Amino acid sequence: AQSVTQPDIHITVSEGASLELRCNYSYGATPYLFWYVQSPGQGLQLLLKYFSGDTLVQGIKGFEAEFKRSQSSFNLRKPSVHWSDAAEYFCAVIGVTGTASKLTFGTGTRLQVTL
Amino acid sequence: EAQVTQNPRYLITVTGKKLTVTCSQNMNHEYMSWYRQDPGLGLRQIYYSMNVEVTDKGDVPEGYKVSRKEKRNFPLILESPSPNQTSLYFCASSSLGGSGANVLTFGAGSRLTVL
């Protein structure tokens, strides 16, 4: 069965500092990978996705993620964090032959940004 | 504006009093799904629907019902709510083909408290 692990429950960074959120997945074949962000009181919004091609994926709000098959990882990065980035971040995976019904989410990483 | 609309956003009810959370999307998406979000557990799928009149159980279907009589609507029904159904609920939809396939659009969430 596929699974997603986000090892960090909570991360605090200073505004302007760089950020890396970790995501490891377990899946027997080629995965589709997603990062979603949930701002306080709101639903989840897609940040970026990896389906195929270039393993470095650019998303909205200045975020990027790199797919590393050898490490089964899809870590999210941002060079300089803004206070408005404080939110909860979810990594998710499905197989290339799957549909959204098989999407598996990690348990999330809550990001706090200090000024 | 493309969106998923859930109502009510907040609800406090008592054990055993039937309630319905409505979900409507305006993107002509085939796929719709309900999730519940609980601290430390991430998002867990309750039910999903691949198209009109086609529904299936997710990971935590006990105590819930759904129906899909129209493509745009996917209500979540709690026939006899219990306190362990106190949670934050999200409806989501996606297309099953094209460039947006399997990319979920989420509603803003419905916070339900069962006393």
Side-chain angles (χ1 to χ4, degrees):
Chain A
Q2 63 196 47
S3 65
V4 177
T5 302
Q6 294 180 247
D8 303 306
I9 296 172
H10 185 244
I11 284 182
T12 300
V13 300
S14 301
E15 188 175 40
S18 63
L19 171 71
E20 182 169 29
L21 301 182
R22 295 182 291 166
C23 172
N24 293 99
Y25 68 89
S26 173
Y27 189 71
T30 304
Y32 287 164
L33 295 156
F34 306 79
W35 275 100
Y36 284 86
V37 60
Q38 182 183 19
S39 298
Q42 298 185 26
L44 281 75
Q45 179 185 19
L46 180 72
L47 275 178
L48 48 78
K49 64 183 188 289
Y50 171 77
F51 282 2
S52 65
D54 193 344
T55 56
L56 184 62
V57 181
Q58 302 298 319
I60 62 171
K61 304 184 180 185
F63 285 91
E64 66 178 26
E66 186 171 12
F67 170 55
K68 292 186 177 180
R69 186 188 299 275
S70 63
Q71 299 177 20
S72 297
S73 69
F74 189 56
N75 293 348
L76 182 70
R77 300 193 295 250
K78 187 170 184 178
S80 178
V81 169
H82 188 262
W83 64 266
S84 61
D85 294 324
E88 189 151 22
Y89 292 80
F90 293 92
C91 183
V93 64
I94 57 172
V96 295
T97 57
T99 66
S101 65
K102 302 301 182 187
L103 191 63
T104 298
F105 286 89
T107 52
T109 297
R110 182 168 297 279
L111 174 65
Q112 182 177 356
V113 180
T114 58
L115 300 176
Chain B
E1 179 189 355
Q3 60 185 359
V4 176
T5 304
Q6 298 178 224
N7 281 295
R9 293 288 313 280
Y10 301 91
L11 179 63
I12 300 174
T13 190
V14 295
T15 299
K17 186 176 182 181
K18 180 180 178 180
L19 68 91
T20 299
V21 186
T22 64
C23 174
S24 180
Q25 51 94 3
N26 62 1
M27 296 163 282
N28 201 37
H29 285 166
E30 300 88 357
Y31 177 83
M32 297 186 75
S33 181
W34 277 102
Y35 294 87
R36 60 178 289 173
Q37 183 182 19
D38 301 288
L41 298 177
L43 281 85
R44 294 179 293 168
Q45 189 179 63
I46 303 171
Y47 269 96
Y48 64 92
S49 170
M50 301 297 281
N51 215 323
V52 176
E53 301 292 359
V54 180
T55 63
D56 209 344
K57 296 177 181 179
D59 300 317
V60 288
E62 294 78 20
Y64 304 94
K65 285 176 58 177
V66 293
S67 67
R68 187 92 181 273
K69 294 183 171 59
E70 304 165 285
K71 197 172 187 179
R72 63 183 295 122
N73 296 323
F74 190 46
L76 179 69
I77 303 159
L78 285 72
E79 293 271 2
S80 182
S82 62
N84 64 13
Q85 293 179 297
T86 292
S87 187
L88 179 58
Y89 291 87
F90 287 101
C91 182
S93 71
S94 81
S95 65
L96 294 177
S99 61
N102 301 320
V103 176
L104 292 174
T105 300
F106 283 84
S110 297
R111 184 166 293 282
L112 170 65
T113 301
V114 183
L115 302 176

